[in-house]
Each structure stands twice: as structure tokens, then as C-alpha cells.
Amino acid sequence: MPRSRFPLVLLTLALGGAAQAATTITIATVNNPDMVTMQKLTPEFNKKYPDINVKWVVLPENELRQKITLDVASGAGSFDIATVGVYEVPIWAKNGWLDPLTPLFQKNPSIAASYKLNDILPSVRGALTVNGQLYAVPFYAESSMTFYNKDLFKKAGLTMPQNPTWQQIQTFASKIHNPSQGVYGICLRGLPGWGENMAFITTMVNTFGGRWYDQNWRAQLNTPAWKNALTFYVNTLKKYGPPGATSNGFTENLTLMSQGKCGMWVDATVAAGFLSDPSSSKIVNSVGFANAPVGPGTPRGSNWFWSWNLAIPKSTKKEDAAFKFLTWATSPEYINLVAKTKGTWAAVPPGTRTSTYTNPNYKKAAGAFSNIVLSSINRADVTRPTKDPVPYTGIQYVSIPQFQALGTRVGQIMAGALSGQTSIDQALKQGQDEANRVAREAGYQK
């Protein structure tokens, strides 16, 4: 080989080695607005970690759950980071499907120092900890609350109380409902899915005095509390909701509310920031906030508890790169970045860090709703979700592995009652049979 070409060969080898050193991680996430923002801010991550490329798989909630569950359970390794809910984390951790993060924080002291793990709200951090090991970090946490259009309320001569009852909500909806003008009295989740319509229906059932199972794991769906709650839900949406409600989940109702088409909406507290963001909401100056409604049975379980979290599947071969992204996207630095990018602190991912709620900029921007959100999250008790005792934890879900399939199946049945394909009595009997079958086959019933 001629001597004059030797340096060029070395340079080529060096460049080739650098190209090979770049790592690509694949992230699976839900198509909620906060996650879409995270995807858009990937170039900022690349500035900090230019040797890590990010590939995104963004899916609707139901589809995401199915795809991730199948992947991590089989060890297929398609994803290096998975967006998972507070329901999945303890179950998947016990199954050995997730990497514990505690050792990774210990291994990376500089990241741990800037990340400030103790800044994460204790209730949220505790829900993601199993046997002393942290298995996920929260991207945002939420409870549920009531959103209403103050302009529509004023026009109808109504005043929303800070702590409304469901009966009051229904009365308000009847007075605001004006479909000929494209305004519906209330928007509620109707899209089938254990994390969609059943998250909402279960909290309503809770506050009407119902529960999924008694202490002996006997199903309780075919009871007066469930019938009263489901009848109220179906009647309210049929009379005062938008057409095609069985197609509307969180995202669809967020769009309707932000366009001024809903008088009220009861849903996740995370929506408060979206509805206060001028870039995505037409009702920034007219949106009002109140606590989640309470039914005739009990205030217990009337508002849910949830967090969307980033976790590392055990099957990944790119743990270090995944850990760097996961900690970047849930850090105080990232929250500041979102505020800067969006131009308002009201749009930052909520419900995760004490420092967010003590930040004067956040207090100023989110003062109309921040206290409601924080108190709702703190008030939600996953260990005592119902009026009568139950053998499970979880407010809007039952913390057993089988609930993902059970809740989705019952969600389809309840959507059938909403659409008129089946009667309420038939829906409750079918749901009762499904819940008993699951408890029996899983060995919960003795």
C-alpha cells in the first residue's frame, strides 16, 4: 500500500468507527399531546447526546398497550423505552419484564444529582417502586377533575360550585345543551377500553357506592350501585352529549372541549394545561376548573389516580442509551424546556415534581388549576378506592394482570349499552359473568 494513502485509510476507518458507535433507541409512546411534544423536542436531546439516535413509535392508547404488552411479555426487544401506566409497572416488575432503575441511578451519579429523584412527588414515586426498587419514572401524573366553559355557563345563568355533584352536572348539561349551535352539554369518554371508557365509568361507579369485587372476589357488577351509575352515565350522554360518543376517548373529547363544543368535560387533570395553551385551545380565556363530581354513594374513589411513565424493558440491549433519554425526558431540565418552547408554564407536564408546584412561574401561569390538580392527586387513595372494602388496589382499575383484558371486554359491553345495542340490564349481567369468570379462572375465587 502506498505510504501517501495510509492516513486516508486511517481517517476512513475512524469515521466508520464513529458512525458505528452511534446508538439508535426505539421509544413506544401514546399519542397524547404531552408525548407528541416530547417527540418534537428530540433534537434538543440530540444536542446533549449526539451519539444517540431516537426512533419513535407513536400509537393510540389501546393499540399501544396491546403492542407493548405483547413485546415485553415475549422478550421480543422491539422497544428500548416503553410508555407504561401506573397499573402496569408493579405487575410487569414482578414478572421480571422491566429493568430496575435504582441501580442505574447509582451507576450514573452525575445524572442522579441533576435529576433530583426526591423531587418527584412521594405518592407518584411510591406507586412506581416495588420491593424498594424504582422501575419507572413519571412523565406526567394526573387525577381527574371537571372542566367547564365559563362563557356558556354565564350565558345560561349558571354557577359551577368548586365541589359539584353528578346531579348538578347533569342539570347544568341540560341547560347548556344546544346541538343546533354545535354545543353539547357534556362530553364524557365512550370509547371502549379499560383505560378509556372504563377508567371513567369505574370512578363514577365508585362514587355511586359500587365496586368491581367484594372481599371474596365475587363480582359486584350486577348490583343497584352499578345499575344506578351506568343508567345515569348512559342517559346523560344520550341526552346531552355529542353524537357518536362511543368513538370519543380522551383525545377526541379534548379536541371537542378545546374548540368550545362542550359545556363540560370530566376527565384527566393533565388536560388543564392543554386547555390553557393558546396554540391548541380556543377557550383559554373561558375555561373553568372544579373538582371531579361526587355521586350519591361516597366521595371515595370519585377522582382517579394515574401516571404515564417511561420504563426500560428487560429485553433491551441498549440500557445505557435508554436511561439517558428516560432521565432527560422526565427531568427538571426538560420541564423548563417545555415551558420555554411552548411559551407558557401552564403547558408543562404536570403532577410529577414538587418543584413544579413551588415554581412562581408555574403558579402564575397555572394558578387557576394547579391547586385542584395537586390536591386531587394527593387525595386519590389507591388503597381505599371504594365505599365498601375490596381485595384490590387501584381507583379506576383493578390491580390484577387479568384486568387489562377484562376491563377492555367490559368496556365493549358498556359501549354497547351506550349505543343502544344492548340494554343496561343485559350489559351488567354480561359484565358480571365476565368478571366472575376471570376471578374463577385466575384462582382468586375460592
Side-chain angles (χ1 to χ4, degrees):
M1 181 182 297
R3 180 173 291 182
S4 61
R5 292 181 57 195
F6 188 64
L8 181 61
V9 172
L10 284 179
L11 179 61
T12 302
L13 289 172
L15 290 173
Q20 290 173 359
T23 301
T24 298
I25 57 172
T26 302
I27 302 173
T29 194
V30 66
N31 64 344
N32 288 354
D34 271 325
M35 282 70 168
V36 174
T37 298
M38 175 172 58
Q39 183 184 10
K40 290 178 179 177
L41 290 175
T42 304
E44 296 298 324
F45 170 76
N46 293 138
K47 290 178 184 177
K48 187 170 184 178
Y49 297 106
D51 58 335
I52 302 175
N53 299 321
V54 180
K55 179 182 176 184
W56 290 90
V57 176
V58 182
L59 298 167
E61 188 170 320
N62 289 343
E63 190 177 342
L64 175 84
R65 284 197 168 105
Q66 293 173 0
K67 190 175 285 286
I68 292 180
T69 302
L70 180 62
D71 191 82
V72 299
S74 64
S78 302
F79 308 118
D80 303 296
I81 293 178
T83 304
V84 293
V86 70
Y87 159 79
E88 289 97 346
V89 172
I91 296 172
W92 290 12
K94 290 173 183 175
N95 288 346
W97 295 351
L98 301 176
D99 266 355
L101 301 181
T102 303
L104 296 177
F105 277 104
Q106 294 168 345
K107 180 182 172 183
N108 296 274
S110 62
I111 290 179
S114 62
Y115 189 79
K116 301 176 182 177
L117 197 55
N118 288 334
D119 184 37
I120 294 176
L121 295 174
S123 59
V124 179
R125 194 168 68 245
L128 306 176
T129 301
V130 180
N131 297 327
Q133 297 283 325
L134 187 70
Y135 279 89
V137 285
F139 187 67
Y140 69 77
E142 66 186 27
S143 185
S144 51
M145 65 189 291
T146 302
F147 308 99
Y148 65 100
N149 189 309
K150 292 188 291 185
D151 288 348
L152 294 176
F153 264 64
K154 184 178 180 180
K155 185 178 179 181
L158 302 173
T159 301
M160 173 69 77
Q162 190 67 22
N163 299 292
T165 66
W166 269 114
Q167 191 58 57
Q168 287 174 318
I169 291 293
Q170 188 183 67
T171 300
F172 296 154
S174 69
K175 296 180 182 301
I176 292 171
H177 192 58
N178 190 358
S180 64
Q181 298 297 313
V183 173
Y184 308 103
I186 192 166
C187 294
L188 301 170
R189 295 190 188 191
L191 183 69
W194 74 268
E196 282 285 2
N197 66 340
M198 290 316 299
F200 174 81
I201 290 172
T202 300
T203 56
M204 180 177 274
V205 167
N206 291 343
T207 197
F208 271 68
R211 53 185 173 167
W212 274 84
Y213 292 101
D214 67 14
Q215 289 285 66
N216 297 312
W217 287 101
R218 299 291 191 265
Q220 299 295 300
L221 279 73
N222 208 4
T223 58
W226 268 83
K227 183 171 183 177
N228 291 340
L230 188 61
T231 301
F232 187 91
Y233 165 78
V234 168
N235 287 345
T236 301
L237 261 185
K238 278 188 172 180
K239 289 180 180 178
Y240 313 119
T246 55
S247 298
N248 295 342
F250 171 82
T251 304
E252 293 78 13
N253 283 326
L254 172 62
T255 300
L256 287 169
M257 186 72 195
S258 65
Q259 291 177 348
K261 296 183 180 297
C262 305
M264 292 172 290
W265 178 35
V266 180
D267 212 293
T269 55
V270 70
F274 306 145
L275 295 173
S276 303
D277 183 355
S279 69
S280 59
S281 173
K282 295 180 180 178
I283 61 166
V284 171
N285 296 320
S286 60
V287 62
F289 310 95
N291 285 312
V294 172
T298 176
R300 192 174 295 283
S302 59
N303 56 281
W304 67 60
F305 174 81
W306 185 256
S307 63
W308 276 116
N309 318 281
L310 301 184
I312 302 176
K314 199 78 172 178
S315 52
T316 184
K317 295 179 174 61
K318 302 162 184 176
E319 183 183 72
D320 288 343
F323 181 71
K324 288 174 181 174
F325 185 91
L326 170 147
T327 49
W328 172 81
T330 60
S331 66
E333 170 195 359
Y334 177 84
I335 290 175
N336 282 314
L337 179 62
V338 173
K340 180 181 177 182
T341 303
K342 289 282 190 177
T344 173
W345 270 86
V348 305
T352 60
R353 291 183 171 272
T354 301
S355 59
T356 299
Y357 289 88
T358 58
N359 186 312
N361 293 318
Y362 185 75
K363 284 184 175 182
K364 183 178 179 181
F369 61 81
S370 62
N371 287 338
I372 295 176
V373 173
L374 189 59
S375 64
S376 296
I377 290 173
N378 289 334
R379 187 171 60 247
D381 186 353
V382 298
T383 65
R384 297 180 65 198
T386 53
K387 177 183 178 182
D388 297 317
V390 289
Y392 56 85
T393 60
I395 296 174
Q396 76 278 21
Y397 58 85
V398 177
S399 56
I400 57 174
Q402 297 80 9
F403 186 74
Q404 186 164 337
L406 171 62
T408 296
R409 175 65 189 124
V410 174
Q412 293 166 343
I413 294 170
M414 298 305 160
L418 178 59
S419 66
Q421 293 177 340
T422 185
S423 71
I424 288 172
D425 286 339
Q426 289 171 329
L428 292 173
K429 184 183 183 307
Q430 291 174 32
Q432 174 88 354
D433 292 344
E434 287 288 336
N436 271 326
R437 179 186 61 77
V438 165
R440 191 167 54 247
E441 291 178 357
Y444 298 116
Q445 289 185 2
K446 305 301 181 186

